[in-house]
Amino acid sequence: MKRFILLLTLAITFVSCKKEQKSNAEVTTSGVTADLIVTNAKVAVMDSYRTITEAIAVKDGKVLKTGTTEEVLKLQGANTKTIDANKRTLIPGLNDSHLHLTRGGRFYNAELRWDGVKTLKRALEMLKEQAQRTPEGQWVRVIGGWSPYQFEEKRFPTPEEINEATGDVPTFVLFLYSRGWLNQAGLNALNIDENTKAPEGSTFEKGPDGKLTGVLLAEPNPTILYARIGALPPLSEEAMINGTKQFYRELNSFGITSGIDAGGGGHKFPKDYTGTKALADKGEMPLRLSYYLFPQNKGNEYAEFQEWMANNKVGHNGEIHLDHGYELEGGGEFLAWSAGDFENFLAPQPLLENRPTWRKDLKQILTLHAENGWPFRIHATYGETIKHMLDLIEEVNQETNGKLTANRWLFDHAETVKEEDLKRIKALNGGIAIQARMAYAGEFFVERYGADKAKQAPPIKKIIDAGIPVGAGTDGTRVASYNPWPALYWLISGKTVGDFQLAEPSNQLTREEALHLYTKGSAWVSKEEHVKGTLENGMFADFTILSDDYFTVPEEKISHIKSVLTVVDGKVVYGSEDYKDLNPPLPEVIPTWSPVKYFGGYQNK
């Protein structure tokens, strides 16, 4: 009898458990309908299993399910929006881990972009056309994002060509942070003549006759270039907000759904963040943006960080309608100006040993970050710089009982980081964010340091093999274009935008590896790898449908990929001509003379 009762009890318990399991299953599937379903796609989930499937369902801004079209359509309800991908490839949204987004939006409507222009002849024609419509009191400006090697002519413009194209309209053209060109009207407007003294570490070039050529040389200090940009007339607040909307739509058009802002020179927080803050305040952010704070006043960086730390909280999201929509991450990419090793490969390598205060300046600021629990990122181009900085990071970390590296921290750039120092970075729980700067300046790197050194600059595969978290990006909009696809092409092929072979085969990534760095890898930088970077169930529904199949298109075509549909938080933020009915409205570009109104942004569309 006792045995019968025991068996009956077990049977009842088993049935009860099965009913409970069935009930839980019904909660998660039965009765739940998706807000959005995309079918007939090649969905790259980018999980550890490298899952490729056909469809994706979204609920409340997160991935509800991926699977076959038949499986996913079971989640379709009366109010579900369904989109046919027409057999195109769908990937997690791209995340640029080092992009100057807020500054890019601030200036976007004022700048003529040479990004992607195929010939110098066309670039000069664009200068001429823009000069003809630029009103008195404004300038024609090309502020980086290009390489002379992208042109068929494989050369820089001459001062004479720029003057001929622009006439009496003041003009400034910037190449990375290496050199700039002022036309004669620009020299006159800024009252620069043969007697004007250039900042230390830079030069106003003079011809054989002793007269200014209009060429500004950073050797390697870019202060001379920062100063010229800062002297240009600003746009109105309305135009800056409009430009931020235009720029973020441009990023969406390439499949970017997240970006991590690395601050920037001449761009002070919070004063110069007007455009992005306006969008965040209104709940209109079309991408997720994390930002680091970059001090502006050389010698007063400590005071700036003190003020910021007293009035701002790391992790604060200023976009209440979008998780991680406008979020403060920490300090960087510059922490102390005296510790900046400028990446001008046209000039000799700067050495920290030549700057007597760098160690004291940086130690004070690193200690402040440790004491306040702030994450940090730090600009470091050369291996010698990284070695010195690691010595200091280890020292501060020991003095603060591990507080400095208890929070997320990373090096930016690291083109010539040494293999022995990768082990030290790993031991300190650090990461590295790499950018496509070599794609735009690689030829100049080879001229100065040799082709052998360029084969492992940066040593991406060795960084990954060392177990160090890696995020990928562009460093746009000045020292590279903001377009992520030439950057992905560089990671995969090892070639510059001028098609020059830099990286050796052992330092080239597979397409899956490169995409991982541009998605989940970059999510690590902002401590979001658990919520975005893949299309697994429960992750943010941020994804893009591509114009071409990234995984099979001929390698040389990767640079030309763009988005046909981009989704952030389960909502369409960009639709190409194929999905124009889904493309959200965008205001007309202002001011009416803006280069963006006539040329758009990137020119290879």
Side-chain angles (χ1 to χ4, degrees):
M1 186 69 172
K2 288 182 181 179
R3 185 179 178 187
F4 172 76
I5 293 172
L6 177 62
L7 289 172
L8 182 62
T9 302
L10 289 172
I12 292 170
T13 302
F14 175 78
V15 171
S16 175
C17 287
K18 293 298 288 183
K19 283 183 177 179
E20 184 177 346
Q21 288 174 5
K22 183 178 180 182
S23 176
N24 287 339
E26 287 172 349
V27 169
T28 56
T29 56
S30 301
V32 174
T33 58
D35 300 324
L36 172 69
I37 289 176
V38 180
T39 63
N40 196 23
K42 178 181 177 180
V43 179
V45 178
M46 294 299 291
D47 57 4
S48 59
Y49 302 103
R50 297 183 176 181
T51 302
I52 301 290
T53 188
E54 299 175 344
I56 184 169
V58 174
K59 181 71 174 179
D60 296 330
K62 295 180 180 175
V63 177
L64 180 60
K65 183 178 180 62
T66 57
T68 66
T69 295
E70 183 181 1
E71 291 171 337
V72 171
L73 281 177
K74 291 177 181 178
L75 299 171
Q76 186 177 29
N79 297 317
T80 302
K81 179 184 291 185
T82 304
I83 297 173
D84 186 340
N86 295 310
K87 300 189 182 301
R88 288 192 168 108
T89 298
L90 185 155
I91 63 171
L94 299 180
N95 181 356
D96 192 317
S97 63
H98 187 122
L99 175 61
H100 300 274
L101 294 91
T102 58
R103 188 179 66 187
R106 174 186 167 199
F107 291 113
Y108 187 65
N109 281 3
E111 295 176 353
L112 174 65
R113 304 301 306 181
W114 279 359
D115 310 39
V117 176
K118 296 301 183 185
T119 68
L120 179 57
K121 179 176 181 290
R122 178 57 188 148
L124 292 168
E125 288 172 351
M126 293 168 72
L127 271 188
K128 184 174 183 178
E129 292 170 27
Q130 186 57 32
Q132 292 170 349
R133 68 172 65 95
T134 300
E136 186 175 353
Q138 274 294 346
W139 286 55
V140 176
R141 53 189 105 180
V142 179
I143 310 296
W146 59 279
S147 163
Y149 291 100
Q150 77 191 37
F151 300 139
E152 290 179 5
E153 297 89 341
K154 304 294 182 186
R155 67 174 178 85
F156 286 124
T158 66
E160 292 77 15
E161 288 171 328
I162 292 174
N163 274 292
E164 183 180 351
T166 57
D168 60 359
V169 180
T171 299
F172 180 57
V173 176
L174 176 72
F175 169 62
L176 313 186
Y177 279 135
S178 299
R179 62 177 57 188
W181 293 259
L182 283 168
N183 69 349
Q184 188 59 50
L187 289 169
N188 295 341
L190 296 176
N191 296 313
I192 296 173
D193 61 22
E194 288 74 15
N195 298 314
T196 304
K197 186 177 180 181
E200 183 181 354
S202 53
T203 303
F204 291 113
E205 184 185 74
K206 295 180 181 179
D209 58 359
K211 295 187 179 297
L212 295 179
T213 64
V215 178
L216 285 57
L217 300 173
E219 298 179 324
N221 191 331
T223 302
I224 191 172
L225 305 174
Y226 280 133
R228 302 295 80 77
I229 299 169
L232 302 181
L235 294 172
S236 68
E237 183 173 315
E238 182 185 10
M240 286 191 284
I241 294 171
N242 181 280
T244 300
K245 291 180 179 181
Q246 306 294 336
F247 182 51
Y248 291 174
R249 178 64 60 88
E250 172 86 344
L251 296 178
N252 291 153
S253 77
F254 291 115
I256 292 177
T257 59
S258 291
I260 306 176
D261 190 296
H267 189 62
K268 185 173 179 59
F269 179 85
K271 177 176 73 72
D272 295 326
Y273 287 59
T274 305
T276 299
K277 187 177 186 305
L279 269 61
D281 287 346
K282 293 180 180 179
E284 296 178 358
M285 288 291 287
L287 43 72
R288 302 182 201 268
L289 190 154
S290 303
Y291 61 98
Y292 286 77
L293 299 185
F294 184 123
Q296 302 299 308
N297 301 314
K298 185 177 181 179
N300 293 311
E301 301 96 331
Y302 184 80
E304 286 187 81
F305 276 117
Q306 278 187 313
E307 182 181 350
W308 285 333
M309 291 178 182
N311 295 293
N312 299 277
K313 184 179 179 181
V314 164
H316 171 71
N317 180 19
E319 222 286 18
I320 60 172
H321 305 284
L322 181 65
D323 287 345
H324 301 280
Y326 182 48
E327 191 165 275
L328 174 61
E329 292 301 323
E333 66 179 288
F334 265 32
L335 297 176
W337 280 83
S338 59
D341 69 340
F342 307 111
E343 70 284 352
N344 181 4
F345 302 139
L346 278 76
Q349 175 182 337
L351 299 173
L352 292 187
E353 293 94 316
N354 297 333
R355 301 177 193 169
T357 68
W358 82 266
R359 205 174 196 282
K360 176 178 70 70
D361 297 341
L362 186 56
K363 182 175 183 178
Q364 189 180 36
I365 292 166
L366 287 174
T367 302
L368 187 66
H369 277 70
E371 291 171 345
N372 285 274
W374 269 44
F376 70 94
R377 63 191 306 165
I378 188 163
H379 169 112
T381 302
Y382 300 99
E384 292 79 2
T385 302
I386 290 171
K387 180 182 184 302
H388 288 311
M389 287 183 173
L390 281 170
D391 291 342
L392 185 56
I393 289 169
E394 288 169 345
E395 180 181 311
V396 173
N397 200 49
Q398 185 173 13
E399 292 176 359
T400 59
N401 296 316
K403 289 182 181 178
L404 182 62
T405 62
N407 293 295
R408 203 143 290 193
W409 75 275
L410 64 144
F411 282 115
D412 279 303
H413 316 310
E415 274 85 357
T416 65
V417 62
K418 303 292 192 299
E419 199 164 351
E420 59 266 26
D421 288 325
L422 295 179
K423 297 175 183 177
R424 299 172 71 192
I425 295 169
K426 172 66 175 175
L428 290 164
N429 300 316
I432 295 177
I434 57 172
Q435 299 80 39
R437 303 192 309 178
M438 290 289 285
Y440 294 83
E443 290 87 350
F444 298 108
F445 183 97
V446 169
E447 285 180 20
R448 182 164 294 278
Y449 300 110
D452 283 346
K453 198 164 188 176
K455 291 176 181 177
Q456 291 282 334
I460 304 168
K461 273 292 190 68
K462 291 178 180 177
I463 295 170
I464 295 170
D465 291 345
I468 295 171
V470 185
T474 58
D475 203 1
T477 61
R478 295 180 180 175
V479 301
S481 174
Y482 51 80
N483 185 343
W485 296 102
L488 281 157
Y489 174 70
W490 165 73
L491 287 168
I492 295 160
S493 70
K495 293 180 180 180
T496 69
V497 294
D499 211 33
F500 182 83
Q501 186 67 51
L502 294 172
E504 59 189 345
S506 65
N507 199 35
Q508 296 167 26
L509 304 186
T510 67
R511 300 187 192 203
E512 289 81 3
E513 287 171 333
L515 185 56
H516 173 81
L517 297 192
Y518 238 107
T519 51
K520 192 163 187 177
S522 290
W524 179 90
V525 174
S526 52
K527 210 172 182 179
E528 297 175 90
E529 68 271 28
H530 301 300
V531 293
K532 68 183 180 186
T534 76
L535 296 177
E536 295 170 277
N537 293 357
M539 300 291 271
F540 288 158
D542 300 348
F543 56 83
T544 181
I545 302 175
L546 303 178
S547 59
D548 301 277
D549 185 358
Y550 166 73
F551 299 101
T552 62
V553 71
E555 189 174 84
E556 66 273 12
K557 299 293 185 183
I558 292 173
S559 291
H560 304 285
I561 293 174
K562 53 186 182 291
S563 170
V564 297
L565 188 84
T566 302
V567 171
V568 173
D569 198 42
K571 304 175 184 66
V572 175
V573 293
Y574 168 76
S576 68
E577 189 63 26
D578 291 349
Y579 296 97
K580 61 183 178 182
D581 292 343
L582 299 177
N583 195 33
L586 191 65
E588 285 290 319
V589 176
I590 58 172
T592 56
W593 55 266
S594 169
V596 176
K597 186 177 180 68
Y598 300 93
F599 300 109
Y602 194 86
Q603 297 300 301
N604 189 25
K605 293 185 178 179

